[in-house]
Amino acid sequence: MNTNKLKNFARLAVEFGVNLKEGEDLLISSPIEEPRLARLITEEAYKKGARKVSINWQDDELTRLTYKYRSQETLNEVADWEIAKLDYQIAEKLSNRISIHSQDPDLLKGLDEKKIAEAIKVRSQATKKYVKYTMNDILSWLVISVPTEKWAKKVFPNLEKEKALEKLWQVIFDVTRIDEDWEITKSNWENHIETLNKKAKFLNDYQFDKVHYTSKNGTDLWVELPKDHIWMSAGSTNAKNDMFIPNMPTEEIFTSPKKDGVNGRLVATKPLVYNGLLINNFEFTFKDGKVVDFKAEVGEDTLEEMLNSDQGSRYLGEIALVAYNSPISNSNILFYNTLFDENASCHFALGKAYPTTVKGASDLKDEELSKIGLNDSLIHEDFMVGDKDLNIKGYKGEKEVDIFVDGNFAL
């Protein structure tokens, strides 16, 4: 693992990722198995003038033991002190948030899926009011990953443990555009942001009424877009008008579909890890926006639990464009980690829509968002649909425009 690149990763997360300012707080979530990046981020944050840095350490083994042995009653408990902590860190201090997500893809395999689903649903309901702080970009937030042993072995099963970890570090640095030289890393990201912004501008200027997805795997889907929708790219803007980058790596340009305007068949092209459980070879049929049929070769029960999370979980909340010819896709690696796999492929998300993707919607209440066509849900789960033969056409009135041809942008 290249220590210079790791230091630049930490600097990138603080300066470009959350774009932390003097006097602000930072909240980090990190796997305890690999603490080095979290420590370096903490140091960089204090160098930038952070008021306070807090860390929530996460342990996969303890998480599995918790779901295995605790009763449903205790799993469903959300203590007052937990809510008070969120009130302080998020609602009061507007802490910048960095989540280092590196979960074992098979973490909860073999455990009671209904027990897990119920506990997660109860916790999501109890903490729903805090989701708006990230979904509405009120504060700066960032999702990144570091290699852990079981994740690395899942991605590279034929390599020994140390070689798998080393290989995954190398790939993460490459697709996240990190160089040993900070100035090159900085330039890489400035150029990348500019490239994505140009494509987003083209789509925003057109304001398509609807788009049509087709692929040889059977995908044939029509998606209507809300009035005054906004295609967003790498950068977002928080309530202080400071730009930040929510995902590193990122290759996507995304917006929200009209909730009741999705019809047809949609076939996934990569596995999905949902709450530590694998779903693979799955597809959906949509009618008037709602999933009316679905199937999966692996994890169909898990998929059903996800779709039954609440009333909004059978509707789409995001439509995202990612070129097939892009660094993560070209690595030909299946990461079993949505952060990477979604940035290797065009994707959709079931569940809650980002209010930031429609002009003037960030300040609207949930019922007002519904009136303009945006979905609300406890979940927001991305799944991948891109392929080398995916075609996407945009329609504005009678005009037809190629957006994607054979998996790549035609813009």
Side-chain angles (χ1 to χ4, degrees):
M1 192 272 296
N2 188 307
T3 55
N4 286 334
K5 288 186 178 181
L6 186 65
K7 289 178 181 178
N8 284 338
F9 197 0
R11 187 173 178 181
L12 184 69
V14 173
E15 293 191 15
F16 273 67
V18 293
N19 191 12
L20 186 139
K21 304 298 183 183
E22 185 174 356
E24 294 180 341
D25 285 10
L26 175 62
L27 175 61
I28 305 170
S29 297
S30 173
I32 199 168
E33 182 181 334
E34 177 46 89
R36 289 175 290 183
L37 181 61
R39 291 169 180 163
L40 287 170
I41 288 173
T42 299
E43 183 176 9
E44 287 293 332
Y46 280 127
K47 285 180 179 179
K48 288 285 289 182
R51 188 190 76 92
K52 181 181 180 181
V53 180
S54 304
I55 298 185
N56 292 330
W57 296 109
Q58 299 171 342
D59 187 323
D60 275 1
E61 296 300 322
L62 290 180
T63 298
R64 182 176 175 86
L65 291 172
T66 296
Y67 282 117
K68 182 177 181 179
Y69 289 108
R70 279 177 63 175
S71 68
Q72 189 74 70
E73 181 181 0
T74 55
L75 280 174
N76 290 358
E77 290 176 0
V78 181
D80 291 343
W81 67 264
E82 294 179 88
I83 300 299
K85 184 177 180 181
L86 290 171
D87 271 329
Y88 175 77
Q89 291 178 326
I90 296 176
E92 181 179 340
K93 292 301 180 183
L94 295 179
S95 300
N96 299 276
R97 302 187 69 181
I98 296 179
S99 174
I100 305 174
H101 180 76
S102 304
Q103 190 179 73
D104 171 13
D106 297 318
L107 177 62
L108 303 180
K109 186 177 181 179
L111 299 186
D112 187 337
E113 295 182 23
K114 291 186 180 296
K115 180 181 180 182
I116 296 166
E118 181 179 331
I120 290 173
K121 181 177 180 179
V122 170
R123 180 164 293 274
S124 297
Q125 289 170 331
T127 59
K128 183 180 179 182
K129 66 180 180 179
Y130 303 105
V131 173
K132 72 176 183 180
Y133 287 88
T134 51
M135 294 293 286
N136 291 37
D137 292 343
I138 296 172
L139 51 79
S140 296
W141 56 281
L142 169 66
V143 182
I144 52 178
S145 290
V146 294
T148 52
E149 180 181 327
K150 289 185 178 179
W151 179 31
K153 282 293 292 178
K154 182 73 173 181
V155 177
F156 302 113
N158 297 324
L159 296 180
E160 295 179 359
K161 180 187 71 175
E162 293 301 326
K163 291 292 185 182
L165 284 166
E166 180 182 347
K167 177 67 173 177
L168 191 50
W169 270 119
Q170 177 185 334
V171 172
I172 289 175
F173 287 146
D174 287 346
V175 300
T176 314
R177 293 176 164 81
I178 296 170
D179 191 86
E180 291 189 45
D181 186 317
W182 168 249
E183 291 302 321
I184 294 177
T185 300
K186 179 181 177 182
S187 178
N188 286 344
W189 273 92
E190 289 171 342
N191 293 335
H192 183 47
I193 292 168
E194 182 180 1
T195 298
L196 290 177
N197 284 346
K198 287 179 179 178
K199 288 183 169 57
K201 183 179 185 305
F202 176 91
L203 293 167
N204 285 323
D205 289 345
Y206 244 105
Q207 281 293 299
F208 291 111
D209 301 318
K210 56 188 175 182
V211 292
H212 185 206
Y213 282 63
T214 56
S215 183
K216 291 179 181 178
N217 63 13
T219 286
D220 187 350
L221 191 76
W222 288 89
V223 181
E224 294 180 40
L225 301 175
K227 182 182 178 182
D228 295 327
H229 63 270
I230 300 170
W231 289 92
M232 302 185 68
S233 57
S236 297
T237 304
N238 65 20
K240 298 178 181 179
N241 206 34
D242 294 326
M243 197 193 91
F244 67 98
I245 301 171
N247 291 337
M248 289 182 166
T250 182
E251 302 290 336
E252 67 177 316
I253 299 167
F254 68 96
T255 190
S256 295
K258 187 179 178 184
K259 178 180 177 179
D260 60 0
V262 182
N263 289 279
R265 183 186 180 199
L266 185 57
V267 181
T269 54
K270 292 179 182 290
L272 168 64
V273 178
Y274 176 68
N275 293 336
L277 298 165
L278 188 68
I279 305 169
N280 199 9
N281 296 329
F282 59 101
E283 65 175 73
F284 304 103
T285 301
F286 290 87
K287 181 175 174 55
D288 297 330
K290 186 177 182 179
V291 175
V292 294
D293 194 18
F294 65 92
K295 60 182 178 181
E297 288 186 14
V298 177
E300 188 166 273
D301 290 343
T302 302
L303 182 58
E304 185 171 14
E305 290 289 345
M306 182 177 76
L307 290 170
N308 291 337
S309 297
D310 59 19
Q311 290 184 346
S313 56
R314 286 181 178 249
Y315 293 84
L316 293 175
E318 180 185 344
I319 167 176
L321 306 178
V322 180
Y324 189 79
N325 181 23
S326 59
I328 304 175
S329 178
N330 290 340
S331 73
N332 292 315
I333 295 171
L334 180 59
F335 287 89
Y336 299 97
N337 178 315
T338 301
L339 173 63
F340 292 86
D341 290 332
E342 74 168 5
N343 281 297
S345 169
C346 285
H347 56 272
F348 289 87
L350 286 162
K352 188 173 180 63
Y354 287 102
T356 52
T357 57
V358 172
K359 185 178 180 180
S362 294
D363 298 325
L364 299 181
K365 297 178 181 179
D366 288 346
E367 56 270 22
E368 294 172 321
L369 292 173
S370 180
K371 289 179 182 178
I372 64 171
L374 294 186
N375 189 34
D376 185 36
S377 175
L378 294 174
I379 71 168
H380 179 93
E381 292 296 330
D382 298 280
F383 62 95
M384 286 57 77
V385 301
D387 210 341
K388 61 183 178 181
D389 60 13
L390 178 66
N391 294 311
I392 306 172
K393 294 182 182 294
Y395 294 85
K396 182 67 174 179
E398 297 299 318
K399 189 169 185 178
E400 177 185 284
V401 177
D402 285 324
I403 299 175
F404 262 56
V405 174
D406 292 334
N408 290 303
F409 282 103
L411 310 181

